């Protein structure tokens, strides 16, 4: 089966996105076929439509992640939604998976209705789609659905870690918090090498076909998972830092991202979003607050374990039935 996977987020050099792409590729290989084409994030497919038509594709899979929201101001979201129409023209099924969806319009809902199946990653998106007459299934973000990546024993937690946000201004505030409270601060994205920058610039200037035939991780997410698992507490503005904290049972405090996806995820897993705070609240947390939030309760530990195991089953169930219609 010739599957084209669009919105490959690994070129961002982001640890969480690389774990998502690793798990997504493995799920497709396990239940259908490993993709024959990986289309990179933020690259418009429409200029290459003729070449894509010539490739005898059997299915199109779109890795939604947090890419589809606020469609009036985000051409990239429209481009991804347009793949459902393209798949229909090809006469092949299309699947939107691992997606959070917010702030859409009628045109976007019409495009969503053309996908063969949709898998969202938190209940707020599911409720939003169903309210607008669109059927979907739910499983947690795919960074959390292979428990073999869960460290067997994190050992003694000796560090405090902070990561950045999609918003540069938030990143600066989190960095200031980290400096004040002796947290180690690092970005969720590694810096590109000179060669990577040069290669990307040349490819863009030449207008070459941007897709690759093979998936290869671009970050050492294993080491990052280890650092998360060694932390007493993590402070972050990144959705995928929160998913990796849940995967490693690491206590966290999160500042909301560019959509309500973090609070939606935390609510699904823990039942409330107490650990999701505003920047102002973060600045005013007391030593007692930090001490309290540095531990998960027994109920929280139980909720996390149940969430991860149920989520793994839900993801595998969806992908095993993906082409069964």
């Amino acid at each position: 089966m010739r599957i084209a996977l669009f919105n490959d987020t690994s070129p961002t050099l982001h640890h969480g996105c690389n774990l998502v792409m690793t798990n997504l590729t493995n799920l497709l290989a396990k239940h259908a076929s490993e993709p024959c084409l990986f289309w990179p994030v933020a690259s418009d497919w429409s200029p290459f439509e003729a070449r894509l038509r010539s490739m005898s594709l059997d299915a199109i899979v779109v890795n939604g992640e947090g890419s589809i929201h606020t469609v009036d101001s985000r051409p990239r979201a429209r481009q991804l939604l347009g793949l459902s129409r393209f798949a229909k023209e090809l006469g092949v099924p299309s699947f939107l998976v691992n997606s959070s969806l917010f702030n859409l319009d009628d045109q976007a809902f019409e495009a969503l209705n053309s996908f063969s199946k949709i898998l969202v990653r938190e209940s707020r998106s599911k409720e939003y789609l169903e309210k607008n007459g669109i059927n979907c299934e739910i499983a947690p973000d795919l960074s959390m659905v292979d428990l073999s990546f869960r460290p067997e024993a994190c050992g003694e937690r000796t560090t405090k870690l902070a990561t950045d946000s999609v918003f540069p201004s938030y990143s600066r505030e989190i960095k200031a918090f980290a400096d004040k409270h002796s947290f180690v601060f690092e970005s969720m994205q590694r810096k590109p090498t000179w060669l990577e920058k040069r290669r990307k610039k040349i490819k863009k200037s030449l207008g070459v076909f941007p897709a690759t035939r093979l998936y290869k991780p671009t970050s050492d997410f294993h080491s990052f998972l280890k650092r998360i698992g060694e932390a007493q507490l993590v402070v972050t503005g990144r959705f995928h830092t929160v998913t990796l904290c849940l995967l490693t049972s690491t206590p966290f405090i999160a500042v909301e991202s560019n959509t309500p996806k973090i609070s939606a995820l935390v609510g699904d897993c823990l039942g409330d979003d107490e650990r999701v705070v505003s920047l102002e609240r973060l600045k005013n947390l007391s030593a007692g607050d930090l001490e309290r939030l540095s531990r998960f309760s027994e109920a929280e530990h139980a909720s996390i374990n149940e969430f991860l195991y149920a989520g793994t089953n839900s993801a595998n169930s969806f992908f095993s039935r993906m082409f069964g219609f």
Side-chain angles (χ1 to χ4, degrees):
M1 177 173 282
R2 293 178 58 78
I3 299 174
L5 176 55
F6 286 81
N7 208 37
D8 171 6
T9 50
S10 63
T12 62
L13 314 181
H14 184 292
H15 299 307
C17 293
N18 271 268
L19 184 50
V20 164
M21 285 300 304
T22 296
N23 287 344
L24 175 52
T25 301
N26 289 343
L27 281 165
L28 288 170
K30 176 181 177 182
H31 295 293
S33 176
E34 186 167 334
C36 67
L37 179 146
F38 293 83
W39 196 274
V41 62
S43 292
D44 185 5
W45 59 271
S46 58
F48 302 93
E49 184 172 330
R51 180 164 176 182
L52 289 167
R53 286 181 182 277
S54 72
M55 296 183 70
S56 301
L57 298 175
D58 296 309
I60 287 176
V61 176
V62 180
N63 170 38
E65 294 198 37
S67 297
I68 303 175
H69 65 90
T70 323
V71 290
D72 285 343
S73 58
R74 290 176 60 83
R76 172 178 156 199
R78 297 274 190 210
Q79 292 160 13
L80 294 176
L81 290 168
L83 286 160
S84 64
R85 181 269 308 166
F86 181 54
K88 276 199 165 185
E89 292 177 0
L90 294 179
V92 302
S94 61
F95 306 91
L96 174 63
V97 302
N98 195 47
S99 194
S100 291
L101 299 144
F102 300 98
N103 300 327
L104 306 179
D105 60 14
D106 289 344
Q107 182 183 343
F109 289 124
E110 184 179 352
L112 287 169
N113 258 324
S114 293
F115 281 102
S116 306
K117 290 183 180 179
I118 297 174
L119 181 68
V120 297
R121 57 186 187 173
E122 28 72 26
S123 59
R124 201 170 299 184
S125 289
K126 188 174 191 292
E127 292 165 4
Y128 182 47
L129 292 196
E130 290 178 343
K131 183 180 178 181
N132 286 277
I134 297 172
N135 294 323
C136 62
E137 296 185 44
I138 184 171
D141 183 79
L142 296 184
S143 62
M144 296 183 283
V145 300
D146 185 345
L147 299 187
S148 69
F149 288 117
R150 197 177 195 192
E152 291 184 8
C154 292
E156 186 178 359
R157 297 179 182 267
T158 58
T159 62
K160 294 182 289 185
L161 182 67
T163 74
D164 56 343
S165 164
V166 68
F167 297 122
S169 61
Y170 284 26
S171 295
R172 290 191 291 270
E173 294 285 359
I174 295 171
K175 174 69 163 58
F177 174 92
D179 291 342
K180 178 180 177 181
H181 295 279
S182 301
F183 281 58
V184 175
F185 180 86
E186 68 173 286
S187 173
M188 276 290 281
Q189 295 169 275
R190 72 167 177 84
K191 292 182 179 180
T193 64
W194 177 88
L195 184 59
E196 286 171 332
K197 288 181 181 178
R198 182 66 176 162
R199 186 182 295 125
K200 183 177 180 180
K201 186 175 181 180
I202 291 172
K203 287 180 71 174
K204 187 174 182 180
S205 66
L206 294 176
V208 299
F209 191 66
T212 58
R213 293 184 178 182
L214 298 173
Y215 167 67
K216 183 179 180 181
T218 62
S219 84
D220 185 2
F221 60 80
H222 297 278
S223 294
F224 184 75
L225 268 174
K226 186 173 185 294
R227 293 195 293 278
I228 291 278
E230 291 171 347
Q232 302 170 359
L233 177 65
V234 172
V235 172
T236 184
R238 291 280 190 178
F239 177 86
H240 276 126
T241 302
V242 176
T243 69
L244 302 191
C245 284
L246 293 173
L247 186 62
T248 57
S249 296
T250 301
F252 63 88
I253 302 168
V255 177
E256 190 60 273
S257 188
N258 54 352
T259 64
K261 57 193 175 189
I262 293 179
S263 53
L265 164 66
V266 176
D268 283 349
C269 181
L270 298 178
D272 64 57
D273 57 2
E274 180 194 10
R275 290 180 175 272
V276 185
V277 301
S278 66
L279 271 179
E280 194 59 33
R281 170 67 175 145
L282 179 67
K283 295 177 194 176
N284 293 318
L285 288 174
S286 67
D289 291 328
L290 294 176
E291 175 63 25
R292 177 175 58 83
L293 292 169
S294 294
R295 295 184 300 273
F296 280 135
S297 66
E298 289 187 11
E300 286 176 317
H301 275 298
S303 294
I304 291 168
N305 286 331
E306 181 180 352
F307 181 77
L308 292 174
Y309 282 101
T312 297
N313 290 335
S314 295
N316 275 282
S317 174
F318 177 87
F319 282 91
S320 70
R321 295 178 286 104
M322 204 166 178
F323 299 96
F325 55 83

